[in-house]
């Protein structure tokens, strides 16, 4: 089972907001750099196919995290370049070559395994990853990169790009950022030749180190309307959040002093209290630590009371409501709003994780 459209707990995705955010980025970084939309992890929970199709004319390419995500795009009318941001299992190189999927080459050892495979390498494009300080993947010196370029040439693989990834672009202190930048520039300048694409910037780098954007801006989180730094750094322009999460009351009752709610009976009423039940739980990625946080009903904040179960949770209401009354978990209701960042702060994590954890059971609808 994938999603549950008959349960009225949809994520509503505003594709126009995503398009507007990209247009704002285009203004911010100027006309030269290409923008490649990062749609990994189901487009950060927004749905990779609808998002990719909606932004196809606004971006120059796409970035994903693995080969299956790239294949899914190719099978759904995405014809622009697609870069897989991590090293793939070498056996699958022929799939990438046949679908014109660009691969990240994380090391010489990986490339040596690739060239052993039976594939037509003439259509294969590579971007060499440089580890300038993130410590995840990539070469750490120019010699290894140049050995890779030589090996790629020998097999007629196209050396199309070189890139790195910053670890601290979303922080106020830019010491580490500058160190990484210097290391990357040094390696790039020592390459036997400059490829078509040199790139290093994610959202945070483009927002707060705009002059560092080179040939490609890899635009992720802010395309979806969120601040990569959480609340640490201010955005230079306003973004529109694309994701909202709605539900409705499925059951309403008044409980009395001494009545308890949920597993562990962690909530005990001290007076007559209206309680509503909502069809969402930890199996949806609405995790148990959301107990004590709130949702919006009729424009008012309502506390989540008792433990969050797998599929349902209870909220405290100000009065009796009827079945079907709308509940807002992320988004606006009246004058009030709950953002993914509010939830991230409550859970002591980042807004990226909040959206990525919302499971496939939540039906995605598009406006
Ligand atoms: C995920 C990722 C991005 C996008 O990051 P955002 O912070 O969402 O913009 C860019 N580059 C690489 C290598 C990534 O893994």
């Amino acid at each position: 089972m994938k999603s549950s459209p008959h349960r009225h707990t949809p994520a509503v995705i505003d594709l126009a907001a995503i398009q507007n955010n990209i247009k704002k980025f285009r203004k911010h970084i100027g006309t030269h750099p290409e923008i490649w939309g990062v749609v990994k992890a189901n487009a950060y929970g927004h749905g990779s196919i609808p998002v990719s199709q909606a932004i196809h004319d606004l971006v120059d390419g796409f970035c994903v995290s693995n080969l299956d995500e790239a294949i899914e795009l190719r099978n759904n009318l995405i014809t622009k370049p697609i870069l897989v941001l991590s090293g793939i299992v070498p056996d699958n190189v022929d799939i990438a070559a046949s679908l014109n999927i660009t691969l990240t080459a994380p090391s010489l050892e990986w490339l040596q395994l690739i060239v052993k495979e039976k594939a037509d390498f003439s259509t294969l494009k590579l971007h060499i990853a440089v580890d300038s300080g993130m410590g995840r993947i990539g070469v750490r010196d120019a010699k290894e990169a140049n050995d890779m370029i030589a090996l790629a040439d020998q097999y007629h693989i196209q050396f199309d790009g070189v890139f790195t990834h910053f670890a601290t672009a979303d922080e106020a202190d830019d010491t580490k950022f500058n160190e990484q930048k210097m290391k990357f520039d040094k390696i790039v300048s020592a390459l036997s030749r400059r490829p078509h694409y040199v790139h290093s910037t994610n959202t945070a780098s483009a927002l707060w180190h705009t002059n560092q954007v080179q040939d490609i801006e890899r635009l992720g989180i802010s395309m979806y309307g969120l601040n990569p730094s959480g609340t640490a750094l201010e955005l230079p322009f306003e973004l529109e959040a694309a994701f909202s999460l709605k539900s409705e009351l499925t059951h309403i009752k008044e409980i009395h002093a001494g009545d308890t709610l949920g597993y562990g009976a962690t909530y005990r009423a001290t007076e007559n209290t209206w309680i509503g039940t909502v069809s969402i739980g930890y199996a949806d990625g609405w995790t148990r630590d959301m107990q004590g946080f709130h949702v919006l009903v009729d424009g008012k904040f309502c506390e989540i009371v008792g433990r969050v179960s797998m599929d349902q949770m209870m909220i405290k209401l100000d009065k009796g409501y009827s079945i079907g009354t709308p509940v807002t978990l992320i988004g606006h209701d009246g004058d009030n709003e709950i953002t993914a960042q509010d939830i991230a702060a409550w859970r002591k994590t980042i807004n990226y994780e909040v959206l990525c954890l919302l499971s496939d059971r939540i039906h995605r609808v598009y406006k």
Side-chain angles (χ1 to χ4, degrees):
M1 191 189 71
K2 284 201 83 177
S3 81
S4 298
H6 294 95
R7 180 186 69 163
H8 290 171
T9 304
V12 183
I13 316 295
D14 183 352
L15 294 170
I18 299 176
Q19 292 167 336
N20 291 339
N21 292 331
I22 295 173
K23 288 176 193 161
K24 288 179 185 178
F25 258 89
R26 171 53 77 203
K27 257 197 184 146
H28 185 67
I29 63 173
T31 50
H32 161 69
E34 295 192 2
I35 293 179
W36 289 30
V38 181
V39 293
K40 62 192 181 189
N42 201 25
Y44 297 38
H46 296 65
S48 58
I49 303 304
V51 169
S52 299
Q53 290 177 350
I55 69 174
H56 200 260
D57 292 342
L58 292 171
V59 298
D60 304 286
F62 294 86
C63 298
V64 295
S65 67
N66 66 45
L67 191 57
D68 294 289
E69 293 179 348
I71 294 168
E72 190 187 19
L73 294 191
R74 277 286 179 261
N75 289 340
N76 286 277
L77 307 173
I78 302 304
T79 53
K80 290 201 167 153
I82 302 173
L83 171 63
V84 178
L85 292 169
S86 45
I88 70 160
V89 176
D91 319 11
N92 294 324
V93 65
D94 57 326
I95 302 173
S98 68
L99 291 175
N100 191 23
I101 292 165
T102 305
L103 296 181
T104 286
S107 64
L108 178 61
E109 183 188 359
W110 177 89
L111 190 56
Q112 286 163 339
L113 292 172
I114 288 287
V115 298
K116 279 195 203 139
E117 296 295 321
K118 277 202 190 65
D120 173 8
F121 293 119
S122 64
T123 58
L124 191 65
K125 292 195 185 97
L126 289 186
H127 287 210
I128 293 178
V130 172
D131 180 8
S132 59
M134 176 72 176
R136 205 160 58 177
I137 54 166
V139 302
R140 297 166 80 99
D141 56 62
K143 182 181 181 305
E144 184 171 352
N146 281 327
D147 288 347
M148 290 165 80
I149 294 169
L151 187 59
D153 286 350
Q154 192 187 330
Y155 285 86
H156 306 288
I157 299 172
Q158 297 169 56
F159 166 49
D160 196 40
V162 61
F163 75 99
T164 196
H165 192 54
F166 292 113
T168 60
D170 57 348
E171 293 177 11
D173 181 349
D174 55 12
T175 315
K176 173 81 183 175
F177 179 92
N178 291 331
E179 260 174 46
Q180 282 197 253
K181 175 71 188 146
M182 264 171 58
K183 188 160 184 203
F184 179 58
D185 287 350
K186 198 170 151 213
I187 290 178
V188 171
S189 62
L191 293 180
S192 52
R193 66 175 188 276
R194 190 192 195 279
H196 188 55
Y197 292 114
V198 176
H199 55 112
S200 59
T201 51
N202 59 354
T203 299
S205 332
L207 281 172
W208 297 299
H209 306 271
T210 312
N211 60 343
Q212 302 298 348
V213 184
Q214 293 159 296
D215 302 323
I216 297 175
E217 159 58 15
R218 305 188 303 263
L219 183 59
I221 194 75
S222 287
M223 182 163 86
Y224 308 103
L226 295 172
N227 182 334
S229 78
T231 53
L233 299 178
E234 210 170 306
L235 293 169
F237 50 91
E238 214 168 299
L239 294 166
E240 300 172 37
F243 195 100
S244 50
L245 181 61
K246 308 278 178 188
S247 192
E248 55 188 40
L249 298 176
T250 58
H251 183 74
I252 304 96
K253 63 181 172 287
E254 191 174 28
I255 63 171
H256 308 291
D259 291 347
T260 62
L261 296 175
Y263 287 114
T266 59
Y267 179 84
R268 183 180 295 269
T270 53
E271 58 187 342
N272 288 356
T273 309
W274 283 100
I275 297 293
T277 301
V278 186
S279 285
I280 192 164
Y282 62 78
D284 300 293
W286 194 260
T287 46
R288 291 168 87 246
D289 52 8
M290 293 307 289
Q291 179 175 357
F293 193 68
H294 46 256
V295 299
L296 286 165
V297 176
D298 196 23
K300 287 165 273 192
F301 289 108
C302 299
E303 188 187 341
I304 298 168
V305 285
R307 286 199 185 136
V308 173
S309 319
M310 187 186 290
D311 318 300
Q312 302 184 80
M313 66 174 186
M314 280 74 80
I315 59 175
K316 193 171 159 181
L317 301 167
D318 59 320
K319 58 179 194 211
Y321 289 91
S322 46
I323 290 178
T325 300
V327 176
T328 300
L329 298 109
I330 300 176
H332 289 272
D333 183 9
D335 293 335
N336 286 320
E337 185 186 12
I338 297 170
T339 65
Q341 180 55 38
D342 295 337
I343 296 170
W346 173 261
R347 279 195 202 149
K348 299 186 173 55
T349 183
I350 53 173
N351 53 41
Y352 297 70
E353 192 185 50
V354 170
L355 294 187
C356 289
L357 282 186
L358 293 173
S359 75
D360 288 347
R361 191 166 74 177
I362 296 173
H363 187 55
R364 268 73 171 171
V365 300
Y366 294 89
K367 66 167 194 190

